[in-house]
Amino acid sequence: MGEWKEECGVFGVWGQPRAAEITYLGLHSLQHRGQEGAGIASADGARIVCQKGKGLLSEVFPHGPQKPLSDGRHSIGHVRYATAGGDELENVQPMLVRARMGSIAVAHNGQVVNAPRLRENLEAQGSIFHSSSDSEIFLHLIQRGKGSLLEKLAGACLQLDGAFSAVILTEKSLYAVRDRFGFRPLSVAQLGEGYCVSSESCAYQAVGAKWLREVRPGEILKISSKGLESIEFCVPSEALCAMEY
């Protein structure tokens, strides 16, 4: 049967001192979901920094997150195995881009089945890719959208076919996204005056967070100084994965 592999794992923290260290602990609980690469992005309200590498979390961060990662109050992280693309460093997440509307970091779990067609269309319009990951396609779609970032995210998600969940970090906000089928898991928890999101609830026990609810299929959940804001980017059509369940 070959080597057994799980799905990728994503984790995010909003509104906590040394958020990257909390993300690091959360990712330890999700290490079984991917052993090929790991990364953490952190935001301090003014900028985003990202560190990542190939291998286990303990190999990429042998001494835990160090400065400037540890300065941020918001963070996302990812443990990876290759559902799409190779195991090159360019495909390790989170992926960080700096655009006119600000910096954005994305970490995603799942597979976009129409990715080849989307990539072909984007390249025909002048886009240049640095990786073979679906996450980079998502970033290009966001950038080409119109309106607020929330509207750009909704427009990008509508173009993705397949099973995915994602966490998106800006300098001041955290977004959690789940596909219309809810195939890939994602939930939100309370942590002090802030919040966490995770692929699996076992990670909340490691950081002392209190589970609140699942991110609903077809939902974009924005976490900011205003609290939790929710929109549905499509009509949900729930179809849970038996293995994930």
Side-chain angles (χ1 to χ4, degrees):
M1 293 178 64
E3 183 181 357
W4 177 264
K5 293 183 177 181
E6 294 290 339
E7 305 297 340
C8 301
V10 298
F11 191 87
V13 178
W14 185 90
Q16 290 293 297
R18 305 182 74 86
E21 295 182 8
I22 300 173
T23 297
Y24 176 80
L25 292 175
L27 290 177
H28 262 296
S29 297
L30 303 176
Q31 184 74 86
H32 58 279
R33 296 184 66 89
Q35 299 85 38
E36 295 181 8
I40 297 174
S42 176
D44 61 6
R47 63 169 184 160
I48 300 176
V49 294
C50 182
Q51 295 179 10
K52 55 187 179 179
K54 296 172 65 174
L56 298 173
L57 187 70
S58 60
E59 297 170 331
V60 179
F61 301 96
H63 306 293
Q66 306 295 306
K67 287 181 175 293
L69 267 185
S70 59
D71 294 335
R73 291 182 55 86
H74 323 303
S75 176
I76 61 172
H78 188 269
V79 288
R80 181 180 190 271
Y81 98 84
T83 55
D87 63 353
E88 296 85 359
L89 180 60
E90 291 84 358
N91 289 325
V92 178
Q93 301 179 45
M95 290 192 170
L96 172 62
V97 296
R98 306 190 190 280
R100 183 180 60 182
M101 62 180 174
S103 298
I104 304 175
V106 171
H108 112 287
N109 165 38
Q111 192 157 12
V112 178
V113 296
N114 64 333
R117 177 176 58 81
L118 290 172
R119 179 182 290 267
E120 183 178 348
N121 291 341
L122 287 166
E123 287 182 348
Q125 298 173 52
S127 293
I128 297 174
F129 289 85
H130 298 281
S131 74
S132 55
S133 171
D134 295 347
S135 300
E136 191 172 5
I137 295 173
F138 189 35
L139 284 166
H140 278 275
L141 294 175
I142 293 170
Q143 176 64 16
R144 289 176 176 270
K146 296 181 180 179
S148 67
L149 179 57
L150 196 58
E151 293 170 327
K152 289 174 180 284
L153 284 174
C157 289
L158 282 171
Q159 299 179 64
L160 304 178
D161 293 333
F164 63 90
S165 61
V167 287
I168 300 99
L169 181 68
T170 67
E171 289 91 344
K172 298 180 180 180
S173 302
L174 176 66
Y175 298 80
V177 181
R178 201 170 177 198
D179 69 80
R180 70 187 70 198
F181 304 109
F183 209 73
R184 294 284 174 250
L186 195 62
S187 63
V188 60
Q190 186 90 44
L191 180 61
E193 298 298 318
Y195 297 91
C196 293
V197 293
S198 177
S199 291
E200 295 185 14
S201 59
C202 61
Y204 299 142
Q205 300 170 18
V207 302
K210 182 180 179 181
W211 187 90
L212 292 177
R213 68 173 179 86
E214 290 188 1
V215 178
R216 293 184 292 270
E219 180 183 23
I220 300 175
L221 188 65
K222 179 182 179 181
I223 306 174
S224 68
S225 57
K226 297 180 180 179
L228 301 179
E229 301 174 70
S230 171
I231 68 164
E232 286 188 349
F233 66 84
C234 68
V235 177
S237 180
E238 194 168 17
L240 300 178
C241 171
M243 294 300 292
E244 290 279 20
Y245 183 80

